Amino acid sequence: MRAIRITRTGGPDVLELAEIERPAPGPGEILVRNQAIGLNFIDTYHRTGLYPVKLPTGLGMEGAGEVVEVGEGVDRFAVGDQAAYASGPIGAYAEFHVVKAGRAVKPPAGVGAGVAAACLLKGMTAEFLLRRCFPVQAGQTILVHAAAGGVGSILVQWAKALGATVIGTVGSAEKAARVRELGGDHVILYRDQDVAAEVRRITGGAGVPVAYDSVGAATFEATLGSLARRGMFVSYGNASGPAPAILPGRLSQLGSLFLTRPTLFDYVATTEELDASAAALFGVIAKGQVRIDIGQTFPLAEAKAAHEALEGRQTVGASLLIP
C-alpha cells in the first residue's frame, strides 16, 4: 500500500510517499481502507519533533473508511461497516490503517467518510473543551483564537448553540467574514488590533471567563490580558510555536487565573468516553447546530503541500488527504 513516512524530523520536505506492506489486524483490531484522512496540527508537531515519536514512522491520527478485516474477538465492527477514528495509533496517512476496535466509532447514516474524517478529532476536541474542560454556560462571553480554523470554526458554532457570546480572533478580513457567517458575535484581527484591549472593550472591562488558545506563542500574552478574574486559560495548540513558560505567581497577580493544557486523548481515554463524545458531536451536526466545512482536499501524495498550507495559515475549515 502507499503511505506517507518520515525517517527524520523537520519541515514538510521530510514527508515521503512510500510503498509498504499492507498491515493485518491483530486481536481486538480492525483494518480500515481509508477513504478520507484528517489533516491536523498535531501531525505537524509529530513531524517536527515537538511531540517526539519513534522513527521511522507514519503520520496522522484521524481517518474514516470501510472496515475490510476484523481481528479475533472483535464484535463492535463487521467487514463492510463504516468506521472513523481520531485517537491513533499514528500512521493514518496511508491507504489502509489498523486501529483498535474500541478506539473507532461508527458514523451515523448520512455522515460520509469525508465529513467523519474532517470532524472527528476536531469536533471531539471542541466537545471536551466546551462541555467538560470548561463547561460553557448560556450568557457567558468566551474568546476563541484561530476562530476560522478547523477546531475554531466548530467551537464558534457549538458555543453559539450553548447560548454563549463568541469573540473570535483571525488573521485576515476573509477569515473574519467566515467567522461572522458561523455566528461569531465579535471578530478581532489579531495582526492589526490589540486583542486584550478589544476584549476588554467588548466586555465592558470585565474580560472573559475562558479563552481557548490554539495559537501558542503569538497569542499567549493577549490571552492572559483578556481573562476575567478567576478566568481559565485553555492552551490546546502551538500553531505559532510553543507557549512560553509562566511563573505561577503571575496567574495570581492577574486575577487568580487558571491555566490548563488539555489533550483530547485524556478526555476520550475509555471507549465509553469516546462513544459519548462522538455521539454529542454527531448530535449537534444532525441538528444543524454545527456545520462541517471541508475547505480543501489534497491527494495523499501531496501531503507536503498540505502541511505547507496548514502551517502557512492558508487553510479555512477542515483539510483532508484523499488516498
Side-chain angles (χ1 to χ4, degrees):
M1 70 173 186
R2 297 185 309 151
I4 297 295
R5 306 284 293 174
I6 63 171
T7 57
R8 58 191 171 92
T9 56
D13 59 299
V14 304
L15 300 173
E16 299 177 351
L17 183 67
E19 288 281 346
I20 65 172
E21 185 176 352
R22 172 175 148 172
E29 296 177 335
I30 59 174
L31 177 66
V32 180
R33 177 189 287 115
N34 285 328
Q35 295 165 334
I37 300 158
L39 182 70
N40 297 286
F41 261 104
I42 193 172
D43 306 341
T44 71
Y45 306 156
H46 290 146
R47 191 204 73 225
T48 62
L50 180 63
Y51 290 2
V53 292
K54 183 178 179 181
L55 298 173
T57 184
L59 281 184
M61 306 292 290
E62 178 180 39
E66 181 185 3
V67 177
V68 293
E69 290 184 46
V70 298
E72 181 183 351
V74 172
D75 55 15
R76 185 173 166 86
F77 290 93
V79 171
D81 285 346
Q82 288 290 299
Y85 57 90
S87 56
I90 195 169
Y93 287 15
E95 292 179 312
F96 297 87
H97 193 41
V98 167
V99 297
K100 292 182 179 179
R103 304 310 300 162
V105 299
K106 291 181 182 179
V111 175
V115 171
C119 79
L120 195 59
L121 190 146
K122 301 172 190 68
M124 291 195 303
T125 297
E127 183 277 322
F128 90 78
L129 290 174
L130 291 170
R131 299 173 76 237
R132 292 185 283 155
C133 183
F134 182 97
V136 171
Q137 305 298 313
Q140 290 181 319
T141 299
I142 71 171
L143 176 63
V144 177
H145 286 295
V151 176
S153 60
I154 298 174
L155 283 172
V156 170
Q157 296 176 82
W158 204 331
K160 291 303 299 178
L162 293 172
T165 296
V166 179
I167 304 171
T169 74
V170 294
S172 69
E174 177 186 9
K175 291 185 177 181
R178 170 174 167 76
V179 172
R180 293 189 182 96
E181 290 173 2
L182 294 173
D185 299 281
H186 307 275
V187 186
I188 300 171
L189 295 169
Y190 68 84
R191 291 192 178 102
D192 305 321
Q193 297 174 280
D194 183 323
V195 172
E198 282 297 298
V199 170
R200 295 288 174 185
R201 180 188 64 78
I202 292 166
T203 60
V208 292
V210 63
Y212 297 106
D213 191 337
S214 63
V215 179
T219 51
F220 189 80
E221 289 298 326
T223 299
L224 284 174
S226 298
L227 289 167
R229 184 176 288 112
R230 301 192 303 276
M232 180 175 282
F233 186 145
V234 183
S235 171
Y236 72 99
N238 312 279
S240 67
I246 182 172
L247 293 172
R250 280 202 70 198
L251 300 176
S252 172
Q253 295 161 5
L254 293 171
S256 300
L257 303 180
F258 296 87
L259 171 61
T260 184
R261 177 69 182 190
T263 176
L264 169 64
F265 311 116
D266 286 325
Y267 282 81
V268 292
T270 67
T271 299
E272 292 74 21
E273 289 173 333
L274 175 70
D275 285 343
S277 185
L281 169 63
F282 291 135
V284 292
I285 292 173
K287 293 175 184 176
Q289 294 172 323
V290 170
R291 184 181 77 243
I292 303 301
D293 289 332
I294 300 171
Q296 44 281 309
T297 62
F298 302 84
L300 177 63
E302 295 179 13
K304 175 178 179 290
H307 275 228
E308 289 172 342
L310 186 65
E311 291 180 301
R313 302 188 191 182
Q314 297 166 5
T315 62
V316 174
S319 302
L320 295 177
L321 295 175
I322 305 298

